[in-house]
Amino acid sequence: MLYPKSNKYREVFSLNGIWKFKPVTDDFVPTNESADSQLIPVPASFNEIVTDKNIKNYEGKVLYETTFSFPVNQNKLYRLRIGATSHKCEIYFNGEKIGVGINGFYPIDLPLENLLEVNRLSVVIDNRLTFQCLPVGRFVNGKQVINHDFYNFTGIHRDVLIYSLPKNYIKDIIINTVVNNDYEKISVTVDTDCKNISYTVINAQKQVVVKSESGNITIKNPNLWSPESPYLYTLIVETECDKYEERFGIRKVEVTSTAFLLNDKPVYFKGFGLHEDFILSGKGNNSAVNIRNFELLKWINANSFRTSHYPYSEEIMDLADEYGILVIDEVPAVCMKWWEGYNFGENRVDEQTKVLHKELIKQLIERDKNHPSVVMYSLMNEPESAEEEAREYCLDVFDYTRALTKLPLTFANCAYFGQCKCSDIPDVICINRYYGWYDYHADIDCIAKHLQKEITDFNTTYNKPVFLTEFGADTVEGVHSLPSETFSEEFQLEIIEETCNVLDKLPYCIGEHVWHLADFKTKQGLTRVRGNRKGVFTRDRQPKMAAHFLRRRWKNFNKF
Ligand code: GCB
């Protein structure tokens, strides 16, 4: 389903703003409008807005509700699009259940019928996670336990839109850039019942480059998309009753045994793991934060990020295309475990988890297929890939995905070399390693000793490039120590600098992603000083010492 856009055939109404909110019981059904609820912003998480501790940490169902009116045109179809609610949800329109959301990071798009003069939209969100959800979670003595290291923010996190469509509308547009030596062809598939489709390609200067009556289009001497030159074209698809404009870029991606090639040149990934996270708004899409993040990425001379550990908002993906930032697009499969030996009882990944996992991979590729910034998909973060059962699962999920996309596939691995049962499966071996922090804490020399050996072993054994997708150290801004000590800015700088020294010696290491761009909220715990502090920027996006080092390092950095 295409993102809602307005033009002469289509209208978009935003329902963002102030809604009503309250925790509800499991059997709650919004038959009538709620009278005893409090005000809440949309999009945003509720957790950092409310002042009551019990509501902030509430585990269960919550109701979000709003009423609205707008002019209805009987000749149009209407749909509702909720960008994301965390996590599962049920959607009621004027008291009738019209659909469900299956995951906290994916859009829900439903037909709206029987519009009244004043309409009531109720969204009942359940923030509880089990091993049949992604990310996985479990319950111990009635309390939610999550293994992943980010706060379980809850709410309507992305835009809520109502949009109109002509009765015979364009459902989808798939743009494939056909890679030949001149990079000059694109093929477009349009999903519509209409005949007579016309295709117009506009360049970045808004000039018409090609007009065509068929979806096989040739662009002479095209400008390629890359971080150095993020050149975007626009394709206008028009039928006798509908029109849609989709941006695209032309770029070629290939992986060899030692390199990641973009437009035939080896690329070195410089950047970060990120989270959608900010003070007060939590995981709510926040345009100010999004733009600040991209400004910081440019300031620090980064060229890439991973959508750790779930798909990000469409706004972020559009900005990545525009700013020229390479994206490793990750599905929300975090901390998967198969083996019973963890005393997790029934809590383990099973067939039901796998069905959901595949569905979420499919939906992510459907959503992000036309973004030139997306150059690789990550199918899991830190699965227990040393477990026997992991291999069969992994093979199945990777095979499934390879039938859906030609882009390279990976997963972020935390199992050590020699223990991981799945390292032959991805196209690029991504590893998350915390030498000097979780492993051999404060021993800087261990980085040269262990990381160098591990990356070399992975490359020579599996004949694939290796990418360090996480490394770093928790750092409280303003804490200084000479010589360096844990939590000081000097300590973070030393870990990052020494890791970079090691990576520079390894030609088959194709990237470094520091964990993390900015500090972020986690559950409370003894190892977390008000959240995860591995950011090289603070949660309010100001630099620590390490940020200045990376800015100097990555300026004109040319490994290959
Ligand atoms: C990891 C995880 C990430 C955590 C990080 C940490 O390996 O992938 O989600 O936040 O370590 O800081 O512990």
Side-chain angles (χ1 to χ4, degrees), residues 221-352:
N221 304 318
N223 290 297
L224 302 186
W225 186 97
S226 69
E228 296 73 38
S229 169
Y231 196 95
L232 292 172
Y233 291 92
T234 303
L235 172 72
I236 305 173
V237 175
E238 197 156 6
T239 67
E240 60 274 8
C241 59
D242 197 11
K243 179 178 173 172
Y244 196 86
E245 298 194 6
E246 181 80 330
R247 281 191 326 186
F248 69 98
I250 302 178
R251 50 104 182 94
K252 178 182 176 188
V253 172
E254 233 179 315
V255 175
T256 71
S257 60
T258 54
F260 192 103
L261 305 179
L262 184 74
N263 303 332
D264 292 327
K265 292 193 207 91
V267 61
Y268 190 73
F269 290 79
K270 310 170 287 181
F272 300 92
L274 261 66
H275 269 297
E276 290 181 306
D277 173 279
F278 196 62
I279 303 152
L280 299 182
S281 51
K283 285 213 174 309
N285 185 55
N286 183 328
S287 302
V289 177
N290 293 345
I291 295 284
R292 176 73 176 173
N293 283 350
F294 278 95
E295 289 296 316
L296 294 181
L297 289 167
K298 283 287 164 189
W299 176 86
I300 207 165
N301 298 307
N303 65 2
S304 53
F305 65 75
R306 176 167 58 117
T307 69
S308 42
H309 297 308
Y310 40 82
Y312 292 174
S313 70
E314 289 87 345
E315 179 174 284
I316 295 178
M317 304 310 285
D318 284 343
L319 288 170
D321 292 343
E322 208 156 319
Y323 275 86
I325 296 290
L326 303 164
V327 177
I328 299 163
D329 212 358
E330 190 160 275
V331 294
V334 194
C335 300
M336 316 269 275
K337 294 185 195 322
W338 290 265
W339 186 50
E340 293 171 78
Y342 287 95
N343 294 328
F344 280 11
E346 293 298 298
N347 296 299
R348 55 193 313 217
V349 166
D350 62 11
E351 268 310 302
Q352 205 185 326

Side-chain angles (χ1 to χ4, degrees), residues 149 309 381-382 432 434 438 470 515 520 528 532 534:
D149 184 38
H309 297 308
N381 180 69
E382 302 197 347
N432 298 347
Y434 287 92
Y438 295 125
E470 284 185 28
W515 190 255
F520 59 92
R528 294 287 175 261
N532 188 311
K534 295 193 185 71

Side-chain angles (χ1 to χ4, degrees), residues 489-544:
E489 296 202 27
E490 285 79 2
F491 189 92
Q492 182 184 40
L493 181 60
E494 255 173 49
I495 295 258
I496 292 178
E497 229 177 336
E498 179 55 11
T499 306
C500 292
N501 287 340
V502 166
L503 301 184
D504 287 346
K505 295 185 196 130
L506 307 173
Y508 32 80
C509 175
I510 58 150
E512 58 196 48
H513 275 181
V514 178
W515 190 255
H516 188 270
L517 178 77
D519 295 347
F520 59 92
K521 193 171 176 76
T522 62
K523 65 184 174 208
Q524 300 179 69
L526 295 175
T527 57
R528 294 287 175 261
V529 193
R530 294 208 80 208
N532 188 311
R533 308 300 290 268
K534 295 193 185 71
V536 304
F537 295 93
T538 57
R539 200 165 177 224
D540 64 351
R541 285 11 185 212
Q542 298 304 331
K544 301 178 191 171

